[in-house]
Amino acid sequence: MKLREIKEILDCEILFGEENLEEEVSSACGCDLMSDVLAFAQVGSLLLTGLINIQSVRTTYIANSKAIVYVRGKRPDEETVHLAKEKGIPLMSTKLRLYDACGKLYLKGLRNASEEAKLTSARKEIV
């Protein structure tokens, strides 16, 4: 799913990365514990979180995730936005709660990162 579609589905405000809206994400990971992101996120996934500190960007970068959507209308501070620009990680904000945002994306076909990992593993077994 393209970031542009995600922006529209979640009625997001773009905080950084307008030029990256044609990029695709493969799955989504919704949580506030960055250790869970490292455990479950897949390369190219989207992070949805209410955690707005700089760790959200650092974790997204380490996990090779594609972008961050901050939920409940939250906005990160300048230091966090600066790091996202430096790392090329698009940032968006939605007024939706985490549960609702994840549900809307799921209904539109974007799967969770854990589910996508299982499908990828199953495909490898078939081939």
Side-chain angles (χ1 to χ4, degrees):
M1 179 180 288
K2 290 185 178 185
L3 291 176
R4 181 173 306 284
E5 295 173 85
I6 291 166
K7 174 190 176 286
E8 291 171 13
I9 292 166
L10 302 180
D11 193 23
C12 289
E13 175 188 356
I14 305 296
L15 305 175
F16 166 70
E18 182 87 32
E19 67 279 4
N20 301 96
L21 292 180
E22 295 306 314
E23 290 189 22
E24 295 267 348
V25 296
S26 56
S27 58
C29 179
C31 66
D32 291 340
L33 287 175
M34 295 299 104
S35 57
D36 282 351
V37 174
L38 293 173
F40 300 112
Q42 297 293 304
V43 172
S45 64
L46 171 72
L47 172 62
L48 296 104
T49 186
L51 185 71
I52 56 170
N53 67 26
I54 202 163
Q55 294 305 324
S56 61
V57 174
R58 287 186 177 138
T59 303
T60 298
Y61 181 72
I62 291 169
N64 283 320
S65 294
K66 199 68 116 184
I68 302 172
V69 173
Y70 295 108
V71 296
R72 298 188 310 274
K74 291 186 168 188
R75 300 173 61 94
D77 61 20
E78 280 301 314
E79 181 184 13
T80 302
V81 174
H82 178 75
L83 182 61
K85 289 178 180 175
E86 194 177 291
K87 301 296 185 190
I89 299 171
L91 303 177
M92 297 188 268
S93 177
T94 180
K95 291 182 179 175
L96 296 170
R97 294 174 183 222
L98 181 60
Y99 180 83
D100 297 327
C102 290
K104 283 187 169 218
L105 293 176
Y106 190 86
L107 287 174
K108 293 291 185 177
L110 187 62
R111 299 298 175 227
N112 71 55
S114 297
E115 187 176 329
E116 185 62 26
K118 288 177 189 172
L119 288 172
T120 301
S121 178
R123 287 182 198 122
K124 286 180 182 175
E125 289 179 15
I126 293 171
V127 176

